Amino acid sequence: MAIDIDKVRAMSRSKMPGVIALGIFVMVLVGSSMFQVDANSVGVVLRLGKLSRSVGPGLHFKAPLGIEKVYKVPVEEQRKEEFGFRTASVGDTTRYSTEGYEHESLMLTGDLNVVEVEWTVQYRISDPYLYLFRVRDVEHTLRYMSQALMREFVGDRTVNEVLTAGRTELATSVQARLQELCNHYEMGITVGQVILQDVTPPDPVKPSFNQVNQAQQEMERMINEARRDYNAVIPRAEGRAEQQIQQAEGYLIDRTNRARGEVARFASLYEEYAKAPEITRQRIYLETLGEVLPKIKNKVILDSEATNMMPVMQLGAGGTVGVAPLSSAGGQK
């Protein structure tokens, strides 16, 4: 049986468009069934508009022809929103731009002062489904909430609290309240940190504010110097006073003990004297002489019963003592 080559070629040419169309269809079908999820992302698969599943990083398949649709959400990416400024360039030296953002940074404090507050909100996506489908335009909603909360908390504080010691507490309060609102509205994000980039008074009042700060610093310096002098002088004076008090107390105790000893000794002597007055009197007399006589250089001992002699004493240095007889009339011979 003879084969008509031309006829076969004609039939092949007539089927070629169908084969090409079939190949293109298969390629489109396979291409629409495969998708790749990055390492820091999660794929949320919807089947006919309803949540079907969530898939992790890697190569995956889905129903083609739009039956299943995939949304890739970078859940591991750290995101941030800037308020009052924008990052102009990032490099060795990061540059920021603040012009045109005064409507975000200018705020009124509780004591009716105006400050410029520049801050950053860092967050990440914690629930991809809530992030995609619960709130429309999550980024704008987060910005509006952040500005409202920052103005609320700044308005409850004085300008000194906002500029100095209250900055950390302010950022912590805004972060906690912002997370509560995000959970309430089911936004599917976790607020990691609220950072106060810069808090300053407006440019027109900066010179006056700096003068006030200098005066306050000078006041603090003088107070610290006064406290230093106080800590140097007062403890020394208190130590001296305590020393004198202790010395006085010691003297009091010593005098009291001595007096009590003397009283006890006198009481014991009186008891002995009461038992034998003459003997005790003689003993006391002898003891007293024993204490006094050794201290006297020249001693003169006279007989108390001698009546005809009158002592003549030369009290000069090296003088001698003699006696002169008395007349019967009592005169000196």
Side-chain angles (χ1 to χ4, degrees):
M1 180 178 177
I3 299 175
D4 190 347
I5 301 298
D6 294 336
K7 187 176 181 180
V8 171
R9 288 177 178 176
M11 292 177 62
S12 299
R13 291 191 187 97
S14 62
K15 294 180 179 180
M16 187 63 66
V19 173
I20 295 174
L22 180 62
I24 293 174
F25 176 75
V26 171
M27 291 177 62
V28 171
L29 190 65
V30 173
S32 61
S33 300
M34 300 174 59
F35 64 94
Q36 177 76 28
V37 179
D38 296 335
N40 66 338
S41 302
V42 169
V44 179
V45 181
L46 299 183
R47 180 178 298 166
L48 299 177
K50 185 178 180 180
L51 177 65
S52 173
R53 62 191 181 277
S54 296
V55 296
L59 183 64
H60 302 276
F61 295 90
K62 63 180 179 65
L65 303 178
I67 298 175
E68 289 185 343
K69 190 174 182 179
V70 179
Y71 295 90
K72 301 175 184 180
V73 182
V75 294
E76 299 296 332
E77 178 182 308
Q78 185 75 23
R79 299 186 171 190
K80 69 176 182 178
E81 295 291 333
E82 298 173 338
F83 301 87
F85 72 101
R86 298 294 184 273
T87 302
S89 63
V90 178
D92 296 336
T93 302
T94 303
R95 294 188 301 106
Y96 302 97
S97 175
T98 59
E99 295 183 1
Y101 304 107
E102 292 82 4
H103 63 284
E104 295 178 351
S105 60
L106 284 176
M107 300 182 188
L108 189 66
T109 63
D111 54 355
L112 302 181
N113 285 290
V114 179
V115 292
E116 289 186 358
V117 182
E118 300 173 1
W119 76 100
T120 302
V121 176
Q122 296 181 354
Y123 69 98
R124 63 179 183 84
I125 301 172
S126 57
D127 191 320
Y129 177 75
L130 296 180
Y131 174 79
L132 291 172
F133 304 112
R134 285 296 186 185
V135 177
R136 180 178 297 177
D137 202 346
V138 174
E139 284 75 14
H140 279 81
T141 304
L142 179 63
R143 292 190 64 86
Y144 295 148
M145 291 193 307
S146 300
Q147 293 185 61
L149 289 175
M150 185 62 72
R151 294 182 185 278
E152 175 185 351
F153 282 98
V154 169
D156 291 337
R157 288 161 174 78
T158 64
V159 64
N160 289 330
E161 291 176 340
V162 175
L163 293 174
T164 55
R167 295 182 56 174
T168 302
E169 191 269 337
L170 173 63
T172 303
S173 301
V174 172
Q175 186 268 335
R177 180 57 179 158
L178 185 60
Q179 184 63 61
E180 291 179 3
L181 291 178
C182 290
N183 296 338
H184 177 73
Y185 292 123
E186 297 182 346
M187 297 174 64
I189 62 176
T190 299
V191 180
Q193 198 174 14
V194 175
I195 304 173
L196 294 180
Q197 191 80 6
D198 193 15
V199 181
T200 59
D203 291 337
V205 300
K206 277 184 178 180
S208 300
F209 187 81
N210 292 333
Q211 292 178 1
V212 173
N213 283 338
Q214 291 177 359
Q216 291 178 346
Q217 293 174 2
E218 183 67 18
M219 179 186 68
E220 292 294 333
R221 184 185 64 81
M222 297 179 68
I223 291 175
N224 292 333
E225 290 180 354
R227 288 176 178 172
R228 180 196 61 194
D229 296 339
Y230 175 87
N231 294 331
V233 174
I234 298 302
R236 187 184 302 117
E238 291 177 348
R240 291 177 179 175
E242 185 66 24
Q243 180 183 5
Q244 293 180 0
I245 291 173
Q246 292 178 356
Q247 290 177 351
E249 291 176 349
Y251 179 75
L252 172 64
I253 294 172
D254 179 67
R255 295 291 296 175
T256 302
N257 292 335
R258 286 186 182 183
R260 289 176 179 173
E262 293 293 332
V263 170
R265 187 176 68 85
F266 180 79
S268 63
L269 289 176
Y270 178 75
E271 291 177 359
E272 296 297 329
Y273 177 79
K275 295 178 182 178
E278 292 298 331
I279 296 174
T280 304
R281 185 183 299 113
Q282 185 177 4
R283 181 174 62 82
I284 294 174
Y285 175 74
L286 294 176
E287 289 178 355
T288 304
L289 288 179
E291 294 178 0
V292 174
L293 290 178
K295 301 178 182 180
I296 301 175
K297 294 181 180 180
N298 298 324
K299 305 177 182 64
V300 178
I301 301 174
L302 300 174
D303 187 359
S304 61
E305 297 180 356
T307 59
N308 58 350
M309 295 290 181
M310 183 182 71
V312 177
M313 301 180 182
Q314 296 180 3
L315 301 178
T320 59
V321 178
V323 295
L326 297 176
S327 64
S328 59
Q332 182 176 359
K333 291 185 179 181

